[in-house]
Amino acid sequence: MAQVPVQTIHRDPQLFYWILFPITIVMILTGVLRHYASVLMQSAPKKLDQKAIREQRSLLHGINLRGNFHALSKKSFATRRDALVTAFESGAYLKDPERAGQGQPNPLSDPSSMEGMMGMMKNQMAMIIPNTLIMSWINAFFSGYVIMKLPFPLTIKFKSMLQAGVMTKDMDPRWMSSISWYFLCIFGLQSVFNFLLGSDNAASQMAQQMGGMGAAPQMFGPGVDPDKQFKAEAENLAVIEHYSVLDNVEERLLEGITV
Amino acid sequence: MAPSLLFNPAKLPPSEALQLAQQAPVVLQGSSSETVDQWATYENLLLACLRTGDDEAAAKCMDQLEARFGPDNERVMALRGLLSEAQAENNGELEAVLKQYDAILEGNSTNLPITKRRIALLRSMGRVSDAATALVQLLDFSPTDAEAWSELSDLYFTQGLYSQAIYALEEVLLLSPNAWNIHARLGEVQYMAATTSGSGGGSQQKYLAEALKRFARSIELCDDYLRGYYGLKLVTTRLLKEQAKQAKQTDDGEFTLPDPKTIERLDELATAKLSEIVRHSTLKDRGWRGYDEREVAAARELLSQNGIER
């Protein structure tokens, strides 16, 4: 039985010290730098004026009433509902009542929303620029050869990922090149950053990308027409069929509790 | 449980507050490196020191907080105001603090901590109706503030305006529907409203019916809540006494009283549970130690009034 000979490649042990370590250290340092840069660039959340707060919280008030109406008796729920529905429909809580019904304001013309977008741009830039730089640095200096062998076997599919830039068809996928070490660092340094900077750091780009994708549609963001929100909420409130958690509470209590 | 500087309970017994305030020298000389809990500790230490009259240590805490967060931080501003309220020696100085608050609010009307300090100061200066007006203004632009609603309820309650107090408490419940203490509090206010509403008959009965249900709900949410059982016992005792003259009930969206048999069973339940709590906490049994001694004493009193042996 012919055994597949174990591939051995004689590497200069110095590769380890001059490539692997530098890449890792540079990655960690950029992560730390990015964290502090984004802390510095963060602008304080913008102050809302009293009318804007009133608008937002009144809407929340309506949502709360819709969600927790069961804590009230039917009569007190009905009075609240009537008052809120009238106020919502007449636009009493709007920040600027005369703009009601004019449809969506253009988000680009609103200076406050521009600021939010600038903040997002800044974050994106802080992520993209260092990544491009490091990647071109690695490509310029360290491309084209393998630097280490992973201590565990891998399937052939990993070849294109781990041996990027090496283009040798028959080489075992366990051998990896410097650019793949770079990718491993991108994905694997999260826990290192957590350890160094605390768990809510801005160093890891992965977390930021996830956050960008999974963010819920903003409730009070730019481009949302508060008048429409109020009308929709009024409609939601109007259709509620009231029940109270206090109905039959005595029976439930007597069944549930034994001394 | 030993008091901790990391929490700020609403009602700290004097002995525990003293215990906390005595930690001041140690905390203030503590290490210079910043820890997670450091600033919460400073804030609570400040409050404990003010409570025990140690203005000097409180001022030191204040300086540290101000050095860290800057005098423009809203929370720091409120604490600074609290400190100057405590250091004011006569009414004139308090007026000066009040003017200061007004000036701050002139510049930034959304500064909630200062708004609340101003209301608290108005109240402690005895200008209750001014305080109520200011609270109503605050709640107009921020109706999702449970703390403000419960303060408003308390204000109305002290003035005897029960239906307004009930309304405010219901708003608190909308914000936190599972707060058993608020359910019980609402029951208490309703019971008192029933007691003072004279011989209205109908409205009195409505109040009692809802109070009964509120207490029951509070117990359902927390089945060891002494105040809930106490209130339940009060209501059932009264209902059983007045059973004969109960008016016919109409169904107009209000809660109706359960039938007398259920009330009787609820009464038994409350009595049994109350005497259990009193017995265990008098003996200081393991697992029964969290009760306020005064509340247990009141429960014992209630039980002995009703002629029940412990």
Side-chain angles (χ1 to χ4, degrees):
Chain A
M1 232 170 71
Q3 251 187 349
V4 183
V6 179
Q7 281 181 353
T8 49
I9 298 176
H10 290 288
R11 285 153 297 145
D12 191 336
Q14 295 289 317
L15 279 177
F16 205 70
Y17 303 112
W18 292 101
I19 297 179
L20 218 60
F21 274 143
I23 293 180
T24 320
I25 288 169
V26 164
M27 294 293 299
I28 293 178
L29 284 182
T30 40
V32 173
L33 265 182
R34 184 185 298 129
H35 171 70
Y36 286 114
S38 59
V39 168
L40 277 181
M41 285 197 300
Q42 234 166 28
S43 48
K46 218 177 144 273
K47 277 231 181 296
L48 291 165
D49 63 342
Q50 197 168 352
K51 281 195 170 155
I53 292 183
R54 180 162 180 259
E55 184 182 87
Q56 293 187 359
R57 301 216 170 149
S58 308
L59 186 62
L60 279 182
H61 189 207
I63 293 174
N64 270 327
L65 177 64
R66 172 158 57 93
N68 297 330
F69 65 89
H70 53 76
L72 300 180
S73 68
K74 190 165 188 171
K75 199 174 145 203
S76 34
F77 170 70
T79 47
R80 277 178 178 75
R81 172 170 70 185
D82 294 345
L84 278 184
V85 166
T86 332
F88 281 2
E89 278 179 348
S90 67
Y93 290 127
L94 285 177
K95 190 164 56 176
D96 31 2
E98 65 271 17
R99 272 231 331 253
Q102 284 183 9
Q104 268 187 14
N106 183 0
L108 285 178
S109 65
D110 189 0
S112 65
S113 65
M114 279 302 280
E115 217 154 278
M117 270 187 246
M118 277 303 288
M120 240 189 288
M121 283 282 281
K122 269 192 253 174
N123 271 339
Q124 291 285 331
M125 281 297 148
M127 218 161 66
I128 293 168
I129 292 174
N131 272 356
T132 339
L133 286 182
I134 295 173
M135 192 140 161
S136 50
W137 169 67
I138 289 173
N139 256 335
F141 285 92
F142 309 121
S143 70
Y145 46 88
V146 295
I147 54 168
M148 70 179 293
K149 189 181 183 185
L150 292 175
F152 43 86
L154 285 169
T155 57
I156 199 81
K157 288 276 181 195
F158 283 92
K159 212 170 144 59
S160 60
M161 185 180 103
L162 290 180
Q163 290 172 6
V166 179
M167 294 146 188
T168 309
K169 221 166 53 182
D170 290 333
M171 203 159 58
D172 193 320
R174 288 164 70 180
W175 296 99
M176 54 184 285
S177 68
S178 54
I179 198 84
S180 44
W181 177 246
Y182 164 73
F183 280 121
L184 271 189
C185 283
I186 288 189
F187 296 118
L189 281 180
Q190 171 74 61
S191 43
V192 178
F193 291 135
N194 278 352
F195 174 69
L196 287 178
L197 303 169
S199 55
D200 52 349
N201 64 70
S204 159
Q205 46 250 314
M206 283 309 287
Q208 286 185 8
Q209 281 164 359
M210 291 300 174
M213 275 187 287
Q218 280 187 315
M219 255 189 76
F220 305 112
V224 186
D225 185 5
D227 189 38
K228 267 195 195 127
Q229 279 180 307
F230 276 124
K231 295 252 160 71
E233 192 53 45
E235 215 162 280
N236 285 339
L237 281 176
V239 297
I240 287 177
E241 197 169 322
H242 182 264
Y243 67 87
S244 175
V245 76
L246 299 184
D247 299 335
N248 300 325
V249 66
E250 306 90 356
E251 282 83 13
R252 273 182 316 199
L253 189 67
L254 288 174
E255 274 168 31
I257 289 197
T258 46
V259 179
Chain B
M1 202 175 71
S4 157
L5 276 173
L6 292 182
F7 304 103
N8 180 23
K11 284 187 220 151
L12 201 60
S15 60
E16 290 189 9
L18 187 62
Q19 213 175 325
L20 286 182
Q22 279 162 353
Q23 296 176 26
V26 185
V27 174
L28 286 172
Q29 284 185 358
S31 61
S32 54
S33 68
E34 192 168 343
T35 58
V36 183
D37 301 327
Q38 187 180 355
W39 301 112
T41 311
Y42 271 84
E43 197 179 343
N44 291 330
L45 183 64
L46 171 67
L47 296 177
C49 286
L50 285 181
R51 200 169 274 152
T52 48
D54 188 355
D55 284 0
E56 210 173 301
K60 275 184 197 154
C61 291
M62 192 61 237
D63 289 341
Q64 299 258 13
L65 283 167
E66 215 169 57
R68 172 67 180 80
F69 296 100
D72 292 336
N73 185 294
E74 294 189 349
R75 201 155 161 168
V76 169
M77 284 163 103
L79 287 174
R80 172 60 80 188
L82 186 67
L83 188 64
S84 36
E85 279 172 44
Q87 284 167 342
E89 286 177 357
N90 51 44
N91 235 10
E93 286 179 36
L94 280 181
E95 292 281 353
V97 178
L98 189 65
K99 286 228 176 69
Q100 224 172 322
Y101 288 160
D102 285 336
I104 294 171
L105 290 176
E106 194 93 1
N108 175 15
S109 56
T110 56
N111 191 334
L112 279 180
I114 288 288
T115 316
K116 288 184 181 173
R117 274 300 343 135
R118 181 169 169 267
I119 292 162
L121 179 58
L122 282 174
R123 189 175 178 187
S124 57
M125 286 166 74
R127 291 158 62 178
V128 180
S129 59
D130 284 349
T133 322
L135 255 181
V136 171
Q137 271 172 12
L138 164 68
L139 285 168
D140 177 59
F141 79 86
S142 170
T144 50
D145 193 329
E147 192 186 33
W149 278 117
S150 41
E151 178 72 13
L152 182 65
S153 148
D154 198 50
L155 264 180
Y156 281 138
F157 173 72
T158 50
Q159 291 176 296
L161 300 167
Y162 292 118
S163 59
Q164 281 90 334
I166 289 169
Y167 183 91
L169 273 179
E170 283 173 344
E171 288 290 338
V172 180
L173 274 185
L174 279 182
L175 294 165
S176 49
N178 294 333
W180 60 82
N181 54 344
I182 300 296
H183 274 288
R185 179 77 191 144
L186 188 48
E188 284 164 18
V189 176
Q190 261 152 349
Y191 179 76
M192 280 181 261
T195 323
T196 50
S197 68
S199 55
S203 73
Q204 187 180 351
Q205 205 162 345
K206 272 177 213 158
Y207 278 134
L208 280 181
E210 192 169 342
L212 180 76
K213 293 202 178 243
R214 290 287 169 196
F215 286 125
R217 175 68 184 156
S218 137
I219 299 168
E220 193 183 32
L221 288 166
C222 173
D223 59 6
D224 285 320
Y225 192 50
L226 178 59
R227 289 185 90 105
Y229 285 111
Y230 189 94
L232 188 64
K233 174 78 187 148
L234 275 183
V235 179
T236 48
T237 315
R238 175 161 170 174
L239 282 174
L240 290 175
K241 237 185 251 166
E242 292 177 357
Q243 224 170 44
K245 48 175 178 173
Q246 263 179 32
K248 185 83 187 109
Q249 287 179 357
T250 49
D251 188 18
D252 53 350
E254 296 281 345
F255 292 113
T256 50
L257 281 172
D259 57 287
K261 223 173 134 193
T262 318
I263 296 180
E264 233 164 83
R265 283 177 62 204
L266 283 173
D267 185 55
E268 280 164 24
L269 172 75
T271 314
K273 194 77 190 182
L274 271 182
S275 46
E276 189 189 3
I277 290 174
V278 168
R279 193 175 65 241
H280 281 294
S281 57
T282 316
L283 295 174
K284 296 208 175 352
D285 281 346
R286 186 180 294 270
W288 296 82
R289 284 184 194 158
Y291 292 104
D292 191 327
E293 274 174 33
R294 285 163 299 176
E295 287 181 1
V296 173
R300 193 179 301 134
E301 181 89 351
L302 179 74
L303 287 179
S304 61
Q305 267 175 23
N306 285 284
I308 298 150
E309 288 300 311
R310 294 191 272 114

